[in-house]
Each structure stands twice: as C-alpha cells, then as structure tokens.
Amino acid sequence: MRYSAREMMALAAAREIKDGDIVFCGTGISMLAAMAAKHISAPNSVIFFETGAIDSQLEEVPMAVGDSRVMLGAAVHGSLADAFAFMQNRSTGTHVVGILGAAQIDPYGNLNSTVLGDYGLPGVRFSGSGGACDVGSFVGRTIIFMQQETRKFVPQLDYLTCPGWLDGPHGRARAGLCEGGPVLVITNMAVFRFDDASRRMYLAGCYPGITPEQVLERMGFAVETGRVRPVEPPTPRELDILRRQCDPQRLILQD
C-alpha cells in the first residue's frame, strides 16, 4: 500500500508506545501518534495534555491542545498545573512518554526551540520552550520528531531549550535531572536511537527505499550506522486505523 512520510512517522512513534504508558503529547503528529498507539497496540495507554485533560478519549483528532475535543471523556478536567504535577509525580512520571519536536537537535538529543543565532541578536526567534524543558527534565523517556535536514541536525545547538543526554552518559545526573532521556528520534527518512554507554545518537533504521548514505547527507554530524535495520513499512491494518479512525478528515495527514 502507498503511504506518506507523515504516516510512516506517526506509526513509528505509535509502535514505540507500550500498553500502560502515559503519553504527554502536543499538537499535530505527536497527537496522532498517541491516538494510533491507543487504537493499535496500547489500548491501556493514557493520553494527557498540558491544558489539563488527563485520559482523554479522543474520538476525533483535535487541532490543538486547547481544542475542546481534548476534554471529551477525560478522567480529569484539570489545569496546566495539574498536568505538570501529574507528569512530575514520581509515582507516575517514570511511566510518562513525552513526544517533542524542535528546530535543532545535537548528537545527544538536546533540543533548541528558542533561537537561531546569537540569543541577544538572533536570526530567528521561536516561541520557546512551552513545556518542553519540563518534559525533557522529568519524564521517563522522550520521543522526538524532526525533519531530516542538515540545518536541524547540528553538532552544537545555538541555544539549549530542552535537555536530552546533555554531554553524555552522566550528564543528566551531574545536572540533577531525573532518570530518563530521549530514546528515539523519528524523521521523514529514518529513526535514530541512543547508545546505552555513550548516549550518543546512532542510526537505527531507514524507511523503505532510503539508504544510510542518503540520511547522512542530510546531517551536520556523523553517526554510527553499524546497527541500522530496515524499518517495517505500515501494515494495511495500521494505515486503515490511522486514516479511518484517527484522522478521517486528514487534518494532520494532509500530505
């Protein structure tokens, strides 16, 4: 079956979500991935949003975290403070999966969504962290969505918005951060993971029809490719659920 890169990305993230996980997600493809996981392989996962809805049913994909549809059937209709307290609670936080995106990522999964260029006189200024710094600091593991572009995969960030593994295996502990960190980076061409010893990113899989060389051409730093495996394409069942149950109006799957 034919499928788009966005569909492949959403399903790659959905496959990473385990039954019983608590998923903190934002607007767009991260929301779609969380919905797909709940329909396909993680029916007992719990989706929640920074706007305070916890365990939302999501019969229709919301356009944003402030969309009233995120409240449908929710177990809790809370506030931003409630959502972040839920995320940082030690009894639940280690089971939380945060789904993030950014303008830049470095080899250790640190993210920049604040500025490009000098902070005092930037070439581009973005909206900033939102809740990303809290998510990266407190949750059990994070999944990151990126476009495969050299300007986004950089050896050094212009600004550190959200911590990944900081400078390596003991960086988070030295900074006083909780256990956890990025586990998966998903792009429109490939997926990356992080080495257990060095905490440096490596190429884990390429989408069908894409080679490691093509991926490396669109990166600003080198990564290990010895463990790369083909990423399984979407199954007919996965695509059917994604298209008919999660986003039948193609609000997010526009391409």
Side-chain angles (χ1 to χ4, degrees), residues 133-240:
C133 184
D134 299 79
V135 174
S137 298
F138 292 108
V139 306
R141 65 189 197 276
T142 54
I143 298 170
I144 301 165
F145 282 117
M146 297 290 297
Q147 288 295 305
Q148 191 74 53
E149 300 177 21
T150 303
R151 62 177 180 166
K152 293 181 176 291
F153 284 76
V154 296
Q156 183 173 349
L157 302 178
D158 291 352
Y159 185 90
L160 175 60
T161 305
C162 175
W165 294 108
L166 293 176
D167 58 355
H170 306 296
R172 292 178 66 87
R174 285 195 299 269
L177 297 180
C178 298
E179 293 183 7
V183 296
L184 185 67
V185 180
I186 300 171
T187 79
N188 52 314
M189 297 179 72
V191 296
F192 301 82
R193 294 190 182 272
F194 295 85
D195 184 77
D196 291 338
S198 70
R199 296 303 186 187
R200 189 178 172 91
M201 188 186 303
Y202 67 89
L203 182 59
C206 294
Y207 297 161
I210 296 175
T211 67
E213 291 73 24
Q214 290 173 313
V215 175
L216 294 177
E217 287 174 358
R218 298 192 182 191
M219 299 187 69
F221 55 85
V223 294
E224 179 199 337
T225 60
R227 289 176 271 185
V228 65
R229 297 291 184 272
V231 176
E232 291 294 322
T235 66
R237 176 175 177 267
E238 287 176 328
L239 286 175
D240 185 69

Side-chain angles (χ1 to χ4, degrees), residues 112-126:
N112 170 24
S113 55
T114 303
V115 297
L116 296 182
D118 180 78
Y119 182 82
L121 193 64
V124 179
R125 186 178 294 277
F126 300 106

